[in-house]
Amino acid sequence: MKRLRRRQDDGPEIAGEVAAAAAVAMPMADPDPTAAAFFDVDNTMMRGASIYHFARGLASRGLFTTKDLLKFALGQAVFRVRGDENPEHIAQARETALAFVAGSRVEEIVRLGEEIFDEAMADRIWPGTRALAQSHLDAGQRVWLVTATPVELARVIAQRLGLTGALGTVSETVDGVYTGRLVGDLLHGPAKAEAVRALARREGLDLSRCSAYSDSANDLPLLSLVGHATAINPDGELREHARENKWDIKDFRTGRKATMIALPIAAGAGAVAGGVAAAVALRRLYRSK
């Protein structure tokens, strides 16, 4: 019986190693063996937070209540905007990120993830970012998603987009059932860079030939790791850093740009402890749809 158990010495390095070990690549023709591109998901590849859209889909199927959904949204809502690395907040996010699927079978969550992507996420993909990913594929380079989202959901997104694979937060399972705990830590901030380093060692990548894309200053460790960094729909801190370092900046937001900047992109799996302002922003956003 296969068991994926939590490591006791968790942290960014362990989370990165675990994520890289769980990464499964799709085969590709005429590959460029030493170059790859790494894309963040939330507000980089997709408008909004993938884990929240997934949670909404589960709630609509009766897996938990609307009250639970709001509690989840608030609990996950956001040092994503401020980059809060408070260890207590990180610990809280780690313990709650997958609690809502505890007791569920992995195969069932993957099936639901496919359904929910098709009905609630596919039309949230930024065409401009998708085109950038495709340009790397066309050049024979592997394209990986790197996200705090649970790896099973991240793989669904990668597969639906025809990408190479995904690095994501790895959850503990016993006999194919989620325990509601994580293996290592959230794949967030420095952990993403550690995951890419580990994957590069495994795949023989030359990081100076690799590219990375993100919207958040939280991903500066990842963006600074590669030879070609691009800020996509950047927050203020990342935009300033990109300008100072002469990185490319691309903004695919349209009339909702101001809203997307103001909203604490609720519920990224690495986000924590919002507040009343986050709740109000969420309610207003979803009432407007």
Side-chain angles (χ1 to χ4, degrees):
M1 293 181 290
K2 186 177 180 180
R3 294 172 179 242
L4 185 55
R5 289 291 195 178
R6 183 175 180 179
R7 298 276 294 271
Q8 296 301 316
D9 52 343
D10 54 16
E13 184 175 355
I14 297 303
E17 291 177 358
V18 168
V24 178
M26 298 291 289
M28 61 184 301
D30 301 322
D32 180 341
T34 64
F38 301 96
F39 285 80
D40 173 50
V41 173
D42 296 348
N43 206 37
T44 301
M45 182 63 73
M46 173 186 297
R47 175 166 56 85
S50 52
I51 189 65
Y52 184 68
H53 298 312
F54 180 56
R56 288 186 73 199
L58 294 180
S60 72
R61 287 162 170 78
L63 271 71
F64 53 88
T65 67
T66 302
K67 181 179 179 180
D68 291 331
L69 178 63
L70 180 59
K71 181 179 179 181
F72 171 78
L74 290 174
Q76 298 294 64
V78 102
F79 64 23
R80 173 154 174 93
V81 169
R82 298 184 60 185
D84 186 352
E85 300 292 344
N86 185 303
E88 183 179 346
H89 290 172
I90 293 285
Q92 178 185 350
R94 183 177 62 236
E95 296 304 321
T96 62
L98 289 182
F100 66 99
V101 294
S104 299
R105 297 200 63 82
V106 173
E107 59 190 24
E108 178 66 6
I109 292 300
V110 170
R111 182 186 67 79
L112 290 172
E114 293 171 343
E115 290 181 4
I116 293 167
F117 176 87
D118 292 341
E119 69 187 36
M121 299 185 197
D123 63 354
R124 297 176 182 273
I125 299 297
W126 295 107
T129 309
R130 179 67 187 86
L132 288 170
Q134 188 60 49
S135 71
H136 287 283
L137 293 171
D138 292 343
Q141 298 177 5
R142 286 162 283 184
V143 177
W144 294 85
L145 299 180
V146 186
T147 176
T149 291
V151 67
E152 291 83 5
L153 179 58
R155 284 175 184 157
V156 167
I157 298 171
Q159 289 167 359
R160 286 297 200 260
L161 297 179
L163 308 181
T164 305
L167 300 166
T169 296
V170 178
S171 62
E172 182 184 76
T173 63
V174 176
D175 299 334
V177 177
Y178 290 110
T179 66
R181 295 184 293 271
L182 302 183
V183 178
D185 213 333
L186 295 165
L187 197 69
H188 172 268
K192 288 186 178 182
E194 294 295 340
V196 168
R197 282 195 185 94
L199 186 71
R201 289 193 297 268
R202 192 186 84 181
E203 300 290 317
L205 298 174
D206 178 353
L207 289 173
S208 70
R209 297 192 63 233
C210 292
S211 304
Y213 301 81
S214 178
D215 71 297
S216 173
N218 291 332
D219 287 338
L220 283 172
L222 169 61
L223 294 167
S224 301
L225 182 66
V226 299
H228 308 281
T230 300
I232 303 286
N233 308 325
D235 60 29
E237 183 180 350
L238 177 57
R239 184 181 294 275
E240 181 178 356
H241 188 93
R243 286 173 175 165
E244 291 174 352
N245 288 272
K246 296 181 171 55
W247 292 350
D248 287 342
I249 300 174
K250 297 184 182 296
D251 202 321
F252 302 123
R253 294 169 291 197
T254 56
R256 299 185 67 183
K257 179 176 178 180
T259 300
M260 295 307 296
I261 292 174
L263 178 67
I265 311 299
V272 203
V276 175
V280 171
L282 280 169
R283 286 198 294 268
R284 287 177 177 171
L285 175 62
Y286 289 103
R287 284 174 180 171
S288 69
K289 293 185 178 182

